Amino acid sequence: MVSAGVFVGLIVGDSSNDPITFNTNLKGYPDRPGWLRYIQRTPHSDGVLYGSPTAEHVGKPTIIEITAYNKRTFETARHNLVINIMSTEEFPLPYQAEFFIKNMNVEEMLASEVLGDFLGAVKNVWQPERLNAINITSALDRGGRVPLPINDLKEGVYVMVGADVQFSSCLREVETPQNQLRCSQEMEPVISCDKKFRAQFHIDWCKISLVDITKVVAVHSNRPDPGTGVLPDIGEYNPPSESLKSRDYFTDFLITLAVPSAVALVLFIILAYSMCCRREGVEKRNMQTPDIQLVHHSSIQKSTKELRSMSKNREIAWPLSTLPVFHPVSGEVVPPLHPDNYETTSMPLMQTQTNLQNQIQIPQQQSSGKWYS
């Protein structure tokens, strides 16, 4: 029989060194109750059942079926563990504090001497009249990660204790602004009573939780009644008759395939007529275009071809692009003023430069400093 607090059960194999594993479940069900947990590290280690029943489990006997499997001899054994949960006047304790111990695993903390040492250290800094362990939880059950197998790292364990007096000043030090700032910067806070735990227990003071259940406002959620789980009687099930008429899918085929194909064909014909049969053609366009516009367009094309050919061969002489290549009125092509073999680089910019009668000579200066012309 246990009270509504922490329950610890140890499952021990035989004295031989055979690898033995255990399977635990609530009798008549495939799994354990929600408040009961089980852990076994290796087939050669003991299994541990632990949990914290609440007030709603009081008076309800719990039968746990334990099945042992011997992996060497393939033998099996079954045993029933009966747990009677009884109420106690010590619960609930109004002031509850939860500690996170970094250097302990849950099965190590559940040992009676280790748990007694921790409660003694807490009682020394809290000074309550009544102090009890309420809940013990592995850090893995709270979403923690499995530690690396180096330096004998531990997964950590959460231990909640309850007392009947207000929290001590030492426990309140973690709520100071200075320590809260250090915790936000991932630094260890300064706690005056940490030395009383440090010898055996490494406590993460940034994860400590202090709860006064007398000030907690109860939230009642309106849950619907779960019901009996049995569907209402709506009569017998009448399956459809086997003499069903076959359905003709030819109409559905026409609607889903033939109609879209016909619409696509009509659109294709309209597009082909617009693209092929409605073209005016180059001859019709030239007939409706004035001759002067065609000549201008032809001259532009010739100039463009000439520039492109010159860009390929830079050694070709610069063209007479400033001279007209067609008559501005009649549109007739005018031959260039100079033959093709004429050196265009020596050609004057103005045709009248060669006929100037009076050319001004630039005076030159003699060595004596006199000017002459």
Side-chain angles (χ1 to χ4, degrees):
M1 299 181 67
V2 298
S3 59
V6 177
F7 164 77
V8 180
L10 184 63
I11 304 175
V12 185
D14 56 4
S15 58
S16 62
N17 198 23
D18 295 342
I20 298 176
T21 58
F22 301 94
N23 184 26
T24 61
N25 62 280
L26 184 64
K27 187 175 181 179
Y29 295 89
D31 203 355
R32 299 177 301 275
W35 61 270
L36 190 61
R37 296 182 178 89
Y38 169 73
I39 187 172
Q40 184 184 15
R41 296 290 178 179
T42 64
H44 296 279
S45 60
D46 298 332
V48 179
L49 280 170
Y50 67 99
S52 301
T54 58
E56 62 181 5
H57 301 102
V58 174
K60 299 179 181 179
T62 304
I63 302 177
I64 304 298
E65 291 182 343
I66 302 174
T67 306
Y69 301 91
N70 191 322
K71 292 189 174 182
R72 187 183 67 85
T73 62
F74 301 102
E75 295 180 357
T76 60
R78 179 169 295 176
H79 176 72
N80 291 337
L81 176 64
V82 180
I83 304 174
N84 294 321
I85 303 174
M86 55 181 294
S87 62
T88 177
E89 297 179 354
E90 297 180 358
F91 291 92
L93 295 173
Y95 305 100
Q96 299 175 2
E98 186 178 57
F99 300 85
F100 177 64
I101 304 174
K102 298 183 290 186
N103 64 328
M104 287 285 176
N105 289 334
V106 61
E107 68 273 13
E108 298 174 349
M109 193 66 197
L110 289 172
S112 58
E113 61 276 6
V114 178
L115 183 59
D117 294 342
F118 179 74
L119 293 178
V122 174
K123 191 173 184 178
N124 190 15
V125 300
W126 200 341
Q127 299 296 331
E129 296 181 3
R130 290 182 300 172
L131 181 70
N132 287 291
I134 299 177
N135 189 15
I136 298 177
T137 308
S138 173
L140 301 182
D141 298 332
R142 298 284 188 88
R145 302 179 63 180
V146 178
L148 296 175
I150 56 175
N151 299 332
D152 195 22
L153 295 177
K154 306 294 182 178
E155 63 190 28
V157 59
Y158 290 91
V159 181
M160 179 178 288
V161 297
D164 56 348
V165 297
Q166 285 281 356
F167 303 107
S168 63
S169 59
C170 171
L171 300 179
R172 290 289 187 183
E173 290 178 359
V174 73
E175 298 178 349
T176 60
Q178 294 80 6
N179 287 330
Q180 291 294 325
L181 178 60
R182 295 178 66 89
C183 289
S184 63
Q185 297 175 353
E186 298 183 357
M187 301 173 60
E188 293 187 2
V190 179
I191 306 298
S192 60
C193 57
D194 180 61
K195 58 184 179 181
K196 297 183 179 180
F197 296 92
R198 183 65 62 176
Q200 188 177 359
F201 307 100
H202 295 172
I203 298 178
D204 189 349
W205 293 100
C206 291
K207 294 184 178 181
I208 189 174
S209 175
L210 306 178
V211 178
D212 185 358
I213 63 175
T214 60
K215 298 180 180 179
V216 176
V217 179
V219 178
H220 301 281
S221 59
N222 296 327
R223 296 182 178 179
D225 296 335
T228 60
V230 180
L231 294 177
D233 187 10
I234 57 175
E236 297 181 358
Y237 172 68
N238 296 322
S241 176
E242 296 181 357
S243 60
L244 296 177
K245 296 181 180 180
S246 60
R247 183 177 177 182
D248 187 11
Y249 290 96
F250 182 74
T251 305
D252 297 339
F253 169 76
L254 292 178
I255 296 175
T256 57
L257 184 62
V259 173
S261 300
V263 173
L265 180 61
V266 172
L267 295 177
F268 175 77
I269 293 174
I270 295 174
L271 180 62
Y273 174 77
S274 302
M275 297 294 294
C276 300
C277 300
R278 300 290 297 175
R279 295 184 60 184
E280 295 181 353
V282 178
E283 296 181 357
K284 184 177 181 180
R285 183 199 63 186
N286 293 340
M287 293 176 60
Q288 297 179 356
T289 304
D291 294 340
I292 185 64
Q293 186 175 354
L294 292 177
V295 172
H296 291 178
H297 181 71
S298 176
S299 63
I300 293 174
Q301 284 187 339
K302 290 181 181 179
S303 300
T304 303
K305 291 181 180 180
E306 184 179 4
L307 290 175
R308 289 180 178 177
S309 62
M310 291 177 58
S311 64
K312 296 180 181 178
N313 189 4
R314 298 294 183 178
E315 297 179 356
I316 298 178
W318 189 263
L320 301 176
S321 59
T322 58
L323 299 178
V325 295
F326 59 90
H327 197 275
V329 178
S330 62
E332 297 178 357
V333 178
V334 178
L337 299 178
H338 303 279
D340 295 338
N341 57 358
Y342 190 84
E343 181 63 31
T344 59
T345 56
S346 61
M347 178 179 157
L349 296 178
M350 299 179 61
Q351 298 297 327
T352 58
Q353 286 182 350
T354 56
N355 300 325
L356 293 178
Q357 299 294 331
N358 299 324
Q359 295 183 355
I360 301 174
Q361 296 182 358
I362 300 175
Q364 298 182 1
Q365 184 179 10
Q366 295 181 355
S367 59
S368 60
K370 297 183 179 179
W371 293 88
Y372 73 97
S373 53

